[in-house]
Amino acid sequence: MKYILKGGFVADGETREVKRADVLISDGLVAAVGSGIAADGAESVDCTGLIVAAGFIDAHVHIESGMVLPEAFGEAILPFGTTAIVADPHEVVNVAGAAGLREFMQECGKSPADVFICLPSGVPATPLDTNGAGKFLAADMKEFVGDPMVVGLGEVMCFRDAAEGKPEMADKIALFKGRTIDGHTSGMPESMLPAYAAAGVNNDHECASKEAMYARYACGMNIYVREGSAARNASELLDGIKERDLDLSRFAFCTDDKHLATIAAEGHISYIAAMARAKGFGWGEIACMSSYNPARYYGLTDRGNVREGLRADLVAVSDDGREVRYVFKDGRLVAKDAKLLFDGDKKTDEPHVFENTVHLRDFSPEDFRVPERLEHIALKLVDGQLLTEKACIAGREENGVNLLATAERHGRNGNLSVCYIAGYGICGGAVATSISHDSHNAVCAGDNGADMALALARLRDIGGGYVIAADGKIAGELPMPAFGLMATGSAAEVAEGIARMERIAHSMGVNPGIDAFTTLSFVALPVIPRLRLLDTGLYDTGEEKFL
């Protein structure tokens, strides 16, 4: 198939120039860029007034956060011009180890947007709770390092291990010497930053302020400007780049975690590009950060710019970046006006059947009793935040207090921990999920033990996902049988399923200021302050001890 893109302005990410030019696409490649191009037999695409740039590349993302398989995730992002992503599948690997990673990489091959992998460096993320895979060490990584899909080492969340050169982490970093090693500095003492960067970590996507960005930039790290569903840092960081006229070769765009509903409402990398344009960045500069730099960082030499001989992964957008008019993938027109031009809801292959990874034991209503020593303590939610607080309560009878349980779901020890939760608000039932970062044990909140036991049993039966129980019956469920993390339907189907489950949960009194399921997905993550209910007990991150 041949296309001639006529009348547009080509944004070159390497030179950062924007010039009026036509672009000829032939046999999946950019065949020519310029004027007066001979285009016999080519279909003409009117790009008058549009910016033609290389397809956007998300420099760091967790597909699992979209709660769909890579194929459906690719279908969700492709209409917004993202033609490739660099994914860190640490959620899958925490659940299922090397075997899960092999299976996941096969699924990535089905995505219409190209997926590249950074091997997860932090499995387990902490030694405090129980994951499914145990440790994923350098020895386990060796079989994957030479795979063309693998382009780097995933975010080094165990920053102390890296800075102190501890052998297990040092071995992982050494395995990727000369390649990109992703960083993660959230919660790291600033005094540790020089040693962390010196260990070989190349970048950070966790800058929540200009000051943090400047510190990492000064240490030689590249900065990934992040805008996800919860972590929204792009506006401040883009302002900071402008204020100090920083070297744009050191920046890329990423989403990290962005949910399907947010993608559908806002776009993907396109959202950051439009924000940058509104702040006065030129399209050459935007193309540098959104395509050229991430391609260069990860050795993707066949793409990332509008140049003769490169892969024809292209996007044509309005000058303000708000309208994604055309998207080309491998030389084929795949989306127009933010809509796919192929049917993403109809799969030609038989759906993959995943092994059930949810191995919960049986529970009785009596199991959901709060230990006497925790009778006057509650994990208190904060509206619109992932952090929690430690609250003193009179007891269960206090208004708005529910039961919270975390159950080990990998079949390793059968642990169950129970405490009180304030600010959730469910009445007459229970909500359960198998998505619980990063170890992904089952989390359940409810106002009675019978419905909590029922919800967890159903979660096991369907292989994970979301379950709501009410008055002794299942009131709603959304199966996510792929590692207990991802549903097997299309992006549209899963987004509607999530919205439906949210409606049911909120109709049962769940606090309207929180996301009923995402909130529970983080209450067991001990790298975020302050109280976290792990399968091993209630942990106070401030005091660094179990209560």
Side-chain angles (χ1 to χ4, degrees):
M1 188 72 184
K2 282 187 176 182
Y3 295 95
I4 180 76
L5 281 56
K6 298 186 69 67
F9 294 87
V10 172
D12 188 303
E14 182 177 9
T15 66
R16 302 173 202 169
E17 296 176 342
V18 178
K19 61 182 180 181
R20 165 69 181 81
D22 298 336
V23 180
L24 178 65
I25 296 173
S26 180
D27 297 325
L29 301 176
V30 176
V33 181
S35 58
I37 299 172
D40 295 341
E43 180 180 333
S44 181
V45 179
D46 183 10
C47 292
T48 302
L50 300 179
I51 304 298
V52 178
F56 303 134
I57 300 175
D58 190 333
H60 174 76
V61 63
H62 303 287
I63 293 174
E64 304 98 313
S65 294
M67 290 171 279
V68 289
L69 290 169
E71 183 175 12
F73 191 78
E75 290 164 358
I77 63 177
L78 198 59
F80 297 104
T82 303
T83 56
I85 61 177
V86 180
D88 181 342
H90 72 226
E91 316 292 358
V92 163
V93 179
N94 262 293
V95 171
L101 178 57
R102 290 186 209 105
E103 199 169 6
F104 183 74
M105 287 172 68
Q106 290 178 354
E107 292 295 323
C108 288
K110 301 176 185 178
S111 170
D114 291 331
V115 180
F116 297 95
I117 298 292
C118 282
L119 297 183
S121 68
V123 177
T126 76
L128 297 170
D129 51 355
T130 309
N131 72 350
K135 292 183 177 182
F136 186 64
L137 302 172
D140 303 304
M141 295 180 176
K142 286 182 179 178
E143 71 168 281
F144 302 99
V145 170
D147 192 300
M149 190 182 290
V150 174
V151 294
L153 183 65
E155 56 183 315
V156 180
M157 295 183 288
C158 303
F159 46 76
R160 192 174 300 278
D161 292 355
E164 296 176 357
K166 292 186 177 178
E168 285 186 1
M169 183 57 68
D171 288 346
K172 296 175 187 179
I173 291 173
L175 202 58
F176 286 89
K177 186 176 181 179
R179 304 174 76 178
T180 293
I181 296 167
D182 289 344
H184 173 113
T185 65
S186 179
M188 185 177 78
E190 290 296 294
S191 60
M192 197 177 288
L193 185 57
Y196 182 71
V201 180
N202 302 115
N203 59 65
D204 187 29
H205 62 273
E206 291 287 346
C207 297
S209 68
K210 289 182 281 190
E211 290 69 27
M213 178 178 71
Y214 297 148
R216 284 143 186 78
Y217 181 90
C219 281
M221 298 174 75
N222 296 327
I223 309 298
Y224 291 178
V225 176
R226 175 177 63 180
E227 188 79 1
S229 290
R232 294 183 173 270
N233 311 127
S235 181
E236 182 168 358
L237 299 189
L238 290 169
D239 287 343
I241 295 169
K242 276 283 189 188
E243 287 170 12
R244 295 202 179 178
D245 192 26
L246 300 180
D247 178 3
L248 294 185
S249 70
R250 304 270 301 279
F251 294 87
F253 296 161
C254 81
T255 61
D256 194 10
D257 300 286
K258 194 159 188 175
H259 303 152
L260 295 176
T262 320
I263 293 170
E266 296 178 351
H268 195 242
I269 295 298
S270 57
Y271 185 76
I272 311 175
M275 186 188 300
R277 187 69 181 118
K279 290 179 178 293
F281 287 88
W283 266 105
E285 297 172 317
I286 295 168
C288 175
M289 295 184 284
S290 64
S291 306
Y292 179 73
N293 284 347
R296 182 168 54 87
Y297 297 160
Y298 293 102
L300 307 178
T301 56
D302 63 342
R303 72 192 72 209
N305 211 354
V306 189
R307 291 281 184 89
E308 185 176 336
L310 292 183
R311 185 185 296 264
D313 290 357
L314 304 175
V315 60
V317 302
S318 59
D319 182 66
D320 63 7
R322 295 179 180 177
E323 296 177 40
V324 180
R325 192 70 54 80
Y326 303 110
V327 181
F328 294 85
K329 181 74 189 77
D330 295 322
R332 184 167 68 101
L333 181 61
V334 293
K336 181 179 179 181
D337 297 326
K339 302 291 183 184
L340 285 178
L341 295 179
F342 59 92
D343 193 342
D345 292 340
K346 294 180 180 178
K347 307 291 186 280
T348 55
D349 300 324
E350 288 295 319
H352 188 99
V353 178
F354 292 87
E355 180 182 350
N356 192 338
T357 61
V358 180
H359 304 297
L360 289 162
R361 66 176 173 89
D362 291 326
F363 297 107
S364 69
E366 292 72 28
D367 290 324
F368 299 92
R369 290 177 177 170
V370 174
E372 185 176 345
R373 63 186 176 278
L374 299 179
E375 194 65 36
H376 300 293
I377 298 172
L379 181 156
K380 184 180 179 182
L381 300 175
V382 180
D383 287 8
Q385 301 281 351
L386 296 180
L387 57 84
T388 65
E389 297 174 350
K390 180 180 179 181
C392 295
I393 60 172
R396 174 69 190 280
E397 68 278 0
E398 190 163 315
N399 188 42
V401 172
N402 291 135
L403 296 167
L404 178 67
T406 297
E408 187 276 319
R409 66 101 157 172
H410 306 292
R412 294 170 68 88
N413 54 39
N415 284 344
L416 177 71
S417 294
V418 184
C419 73
Y420 292 127
I421 183 171
Y424 193 74
I426 190 166
C427 298
V431 170
T433 176
S434 58
I435 301 169
S436 174
H437 305 286
D438 284 324
S439 292
H440 296 290
N441 290 305
V443 175
C444 184
D447 69 347
N448 69 90
D451 281 328
M452 293 174 77
L454 176 63
L456 288 172
R458 184 58 183 165
L459 198 66
R460 177 185 59 202
D461 293 345
I462 64 174
Y466 293 166
V467 172
I468 299 174
D471 298 324
K473 297 179 180 179
I474 300 300
E477 62 184 44
L478 179 59
M480 298 186 193
F483 310 101
L485 302 173
M486 293 168 283
T488 57
S490 70
E493 291 166 346
V494 177
E496 172 51 36
I498 293 170
R500 172 176 51 82
M501 293 294 284
E502 282 287 332
R503 289 194 296 271
I504 296 171
H506 287 296
S507 74
M508 295 171 64
V510 171
N511 181 352
I514 65 173
D515 182 301
F517 293 93
T518 302
T519 299
L520 293 186
S521 293
F522 283 94
V523 295
L525 180 58
V527 298
I528 300 176
R530 180 182 173 186
L531 291 194
R532 300 288 144 176
L533 184 66
L534 315 182
D535 71 295
T536 47
L538 183 62
Y539 186 73
D540 187 324
T541 67
E543 298 183 9
E544 295 187 338
K545 70 176 186 179
F546 285 96
L547 301 182

